[in-house]
Amino acid sequence: MQIEKDKVVSIEYTLTDPKGNVIDTSKGRAPLPYLHGAHNIIPGLESALEGKNTGDELTVTIAPEQGYGLRNEQMVQTVARDRFQGVTDIKPGMQFQANTSQGRRPVTIVAADDKTVKVDANHPLAGMTLKFDVKIIDVRDASAEEKEHGHVHGPEGHQH
Ligand SMILES: [Zn+2]
């Protein structure tokens, strides 16, 4: 079946950064299902899959603008260490949920000392060119309920 709006598509994928490091993969897990045309996945990947068929394999290189967006340096901020009360050990690379001007989202610790913590609220993949190796495992019609909700339901029906 061909991929178009309102199809549920299941893909196997491996995502690598420009240096070839694997960032994420479905290997060892079930294929990832998504509802095509509902912005469940990043725009560059969704548009590359449009019109493809079950069994197709493709490699897609996606610029940041069509991926997780460009980095915004105003989203890197230094905050007081006492904002992290109860956390004894803060190290670069750690992630926390924080309330930001863009709502509740994960922030990554860039640096920390006794008084201040530098946090980055950009998506970890913002500003990065992404390479996806994708295999299309299954394409099916979405149910009326899935279309209404804008996402995929599991094989046993409604699961949330
Ligand atoms: Zn639902």
Side-chain angles (χ1 to χ4, degrees):
M1 189 178 270
Q2 193 171 24
I3 296 176
E4 58 187 342
K5 186 169 165 51
D6 296 335
K7 301 293 185 194
V8 171
V9 183
S10 295
I11 56 171
E12 288 178 352
Y13 68 93
T14 296
L15 168 60
T16 48
D17 71 12
K19 289 177 186 152
N21 300 309
V22 174
I23 297 168
D24 189 18
T25 179
S26 66
K27 285 204 176 82
R29 303 200 301 256
L32 173 79
Y34 77 94
L35 178 60
H36 193 80
H39 310 296
N40 290 175
I41 60 174
I42 57 172
L45 187 57
E46 187 161 60
S47 61
L49 286 163
E50 176 82 27
K52 298 290 189 294
N53 284 283
T54 309
D56 284 357
E57 294 183 51
L58 57 156
T59 298
V60 193
T61 300
I62 299 170
E65 293 88 340
Q66 292 295 308
Y68 290 93
L70 297 168
R71 283 184 55 79
N72 176 355
E73 293 311 320
Q74 293 185 338
M75 288 166 71
V76 180
Q77 290 182 339
T78 299
V79 299
R81 173 69 175 80
D82 60 17
R83 292 266 299 269
F84 292 85
Q85 275 174 4
V87 185
T88 50
D89 197 19
I90 296 181
K91 288 198 185 111
M94 292 172 79
Q95 289 195 330
F96 290 89
Q97 291 291 326
N99 296 311
T100 72
S101 53
Q102 272 81 35
R104 197 163 169 78
R105 56 183 298 153
V107 298
T108 305
I109 307 298
V110 180
D113 61 26
D114 291 346
K115 296 256 176 4
T116 61
V117 179
K118 194 173 181 185
V119 297
D120 184 353
N122 285 286
H123 188 285
L125 301 181
M128 195 183 287
T129 297
L130 306 169
K131 194 184 102 183
F132 279 91
D133 289 296
V134 180
K135 182 173 185 187
I136 300 157
I137 303 300
D138 186 54
V139 183
R140 66 167 169 86
D141 291 317
S143 69
E145 192 182 54
E146 286 173 323
K147 283 189 251 186
E148 189 188 325
H149 288 206
H151 57 228
V152 175
H153 293 156
E156 290 83 37
H158 205 248
Q159 288 181 322
H160 60 91

